[in-house]
Amino acid sequence: MCPHDCPSACAIEVDVLDANTIGRVRGAKGNPYTAGVICEKVARYAERIHHSDRLLHPLKRKGARGSGEWQQVSWEDALDEVASAMLKAEEKHGAEAVWPYYFAGTMGLLMRDGMHRLRHVKKYSGMYDTICTSLPIAGYTAGTGSLSGTSSSEIASSDLVVLWGTNPVNTQINVMTHAVAARKQRGAKIAVVDVYETGTIRQADIGLVIRPGTDGALACAVMHIAFREGYADRAYMQKYTDDPAGLEAHLKSKTPQWAASVTGLSVREIETFAAIVGKTKATYFRLGYGFARSRNGSANMHAVTSIAAVMGHWQHKGGGALHSNSGIYKWNKMMIEGLDAFDRGVRMLDQCRIGAVLNNDPHDLQGGPPVTVLFTQNTNPITVAPDQNAVKQGFARDDLFICVHEQFMTETAELADIVLPATMFLEHDDVYQGSGHQFIQLGPKLINAPGECRNNHQVICELAGRVGAEHPGFDMSEREIIDWTLEHSGRLRIDDLQAAKWLDVQPEFDTAHFLNGFGHPDGRFRFKPDWGAVRHKSHVTSKGPVASMPAFPDHWDVIRAADEQHPFRLATSPARTFLNTTFNETPSSLKREGRPELLMHPADMDDSGITDGQKVVVGNELGVVTLHVRRNDKVRRGVVISEGIWPNRCFDGGCGINTLVGADQPAPVGGGAFHDNHVWIRPA
């Protein structure tokens, strides 16, 4: 079971050569979603798991922070030092001075989320995970009321597959596999909406390249045309939606001409797209994360999701929409996360605001103590988090103790006081769900870990004993806690799941298609959501300028627009063979990606006096980044694209692309606006 930060969560087959070594990795043909296909990154996993640069022993910093001077220490000494720092911080400032910081380096429920058990029991500061899911989930559930939707397996029954804000050729190959199969088997069309011509657009029948952050305008024009031309399913809306008359009146002014001026598309492109969407009942919207990584991302996600409700696509097999299916699993995670010890009074610190938090911003500290101990698993904030200069400044504090549990010496690990070597997914047991499909799967331990690597659960339990944290989950083995979770969630026991390989938990058709009602109390889709009540986490209050959010779907013009000082819009899109900062250490990925580059339209280059391959400086109010430029006539004029999260050290001056990304909190729930930046560009 692939554990990486991807909705596909592929079922995989692995050749185990001996107790310590794997060979070939391939997709499991028997799994209906994976269907024997995995991405090239994971297909070469032997290259990563047996990499010569893996961390093998606990390390303690010797010299100045970031000097690269380390001494090998025992696990006992390393854990004693980490626990001592935690206890001292708690004694001096209170438990909230300790911040366990994690994310999706593994998507396993135990190895990713087990950190919560320690923080809940000890009342350490919580982490509000905004970097990825908050904006799209808020936008999707604002309409549907439920984080679920049409099964991905129904793509095979679709007549039109709309891939909006996702580039599955780079990021989720299985979606492309099923879409292409539908085209071959039933003549389905593939339409793609994105901000530059991606590999996915090149395989599509209809490709729409819009300006970043203007998805809501295109969605509104599509719905305007639907009402105008009679594509709108009025009977469906009357039964299943909240205010179709109000929406229709609102959309009167959202003409194709208006949307063309906002999006950069032609009126003809908009009319053609709207017509095929309106005439094709079995239209499936696969909604990605990309277009929601803007300050108006939640509003855009809601607007696009509304199309399926206006057209009544949900009624038809192969029709409807899906952003994430995470809401169908209904886990009891009490033992994994220690939810019985959860205290809503403990502050939740914003993941994207780690720079501000570590620089003691009073707003971010919420009246509480400074963070003086940072304990990280499964994430690399020095490279990944927005507002990189602030993050680096915070990590440089002399009074901050940092422990990093990692597989490689990442740029975050380089700044730690203690570095602990971590296992990879084939070296421990875990259980997984897929947000892009409907399967629960076990990932059993297949080989021994190298050196002295320990898994996340082991480290959390060892620290718990040292800091006085008591909970039954700390006394259970990996398989015991997984088995408890499966049993108390009403699923198979662990041995049965291992024998079955995967468990399909997709709700029946009427539920998945919301024909029994949407997830709101009245069962109706919300064209007019209460944005102030929308949540990503139920215990977190609203963020950002919620009061100015549009009442109905619209183009909400709060993006970081180009201006005279910053004439270009920048999106930081995924590379094909990196996954965030995972795989950017493997030789084959480095060979394919080459170097950090900026894709730029030839006419913009000519106007700026820039030649192909030249080194350029890119900047805004947050900082400057130096990298090479590459001519690309498939990006829009005035838009530039940087693919992949390269280590900061790969850039002249040591400043990576996220230096240019802001960490302000977009409405309604906060989040990472990674594709919403304005910049200036000049020759280096």
Side-chain angles (χ1 to χ4, degrees), residues 21 38 56 155 207 229 254 278 361 375 404 472-473 478 517 640 682:
T21 314
I38 57 172
L56 301 177
I155 292 176
E229 299 297 324
K254 309 304 177 184
D361 187 303
F375 172 58
V404 176
E478 292 86 349
V640 291
R682 63 171 182 255

Side-chain angles (χ1 to χ4, degrees), residues 37-75:
V37 178
I38 57 172
C39 67
E40 60 185 283
K41 300 181 282 288
V42 177
R44 299 190 303 267
Y45 214 83
E47 179 183 29
R48 185 170 194 270
I49 199 168
H50 301 309
H51 198 294
S52 60
D53 289 344
R54 278 194 68 176
L55 293 169
L56 301 177
H57 307 284
L59 301 173
K60 179 179 179 179
R61 176 166 64 90
K62 284 176 62 179
R65 193 182 300 280
S67 66
E69 298 180 48
W70 303 96
Q71 67 182 67
Q72 184 177 323
V73 294
S74 69
W75 267 101

Side-chain angles (χ1 to χ4, degrees), residues 22 137 219 421 443 585 623 630 671:
I22 68 163
I137 286 176
E585 71 285 316
R630 176 155 54 95

Side-chain angles (χ1 to χ4, degrees), residues 58 83 181 188 210 241-242 265 403 416 497 515 550 568 635:
I210 65 174
T241 69
D242 65 336
L265 296 173
C403 175
L497 180 57
L515 299 182
F568 296 96
V635 300

Side-chain angles (χ1 to χ4, degrees), residues 109-110 113 326-337 339 431-433 440-441 480-494 497 503-505:
L109 300 190
L110 176 59
D113 300 332
S326 298
I328 69 173
Y329 293 101
K330 311 299 182 185
W331 292 104
N332 180 342
K333 297 171 75 173
M334 187 184 76
M335 202 60 67
I336 289 177
E337 296 191 12
L339 294 174
V431 65
Y432 304 85
Q433 67 181 45
I440 292 172
Q441 300 171 79
E480 286 172 340
I481 202 167
I482 292 168
D483 191 45
W484 188 99
T485 302
L486 288 166
E487 179 186 8
H488 287 78
S489 302
R491 307 300 184 188
L492 300 176
R493 300 296 294 268
I494 188 169
L497 180 57
L503 177 64
D504 188 341
V505 298

Side-chain angles (χ1 to χ4, degrees), residues 33 78 86 101 132 176 207 296 332 370 397 421 433-434 470 492 550 572 577 648:
Y33 183 75
M86 290 176 164
Y101 190 91
C132 181
M176 209 63 202
N296 59 3
N332 180 342
R397 276 174 39 202
Q433 67 181 45
E470 296 182 358
L492 300 176
T572 60
T577 57
N648 293 300

Side-chain angles (χ1 to χ4, degrees), residues 353-377:
R353 300 279 298 170
I354 183 173
V357 168
L358 295 184
N359 283 295
N360 297 328
D361 187 303
H363 168 78
D364 291 276
L365 294 179
Q366 302 167 32
V371 170
T372 59
V373 174
L374 188 72
F375 172 58
T376 74
Q377 290 180 325

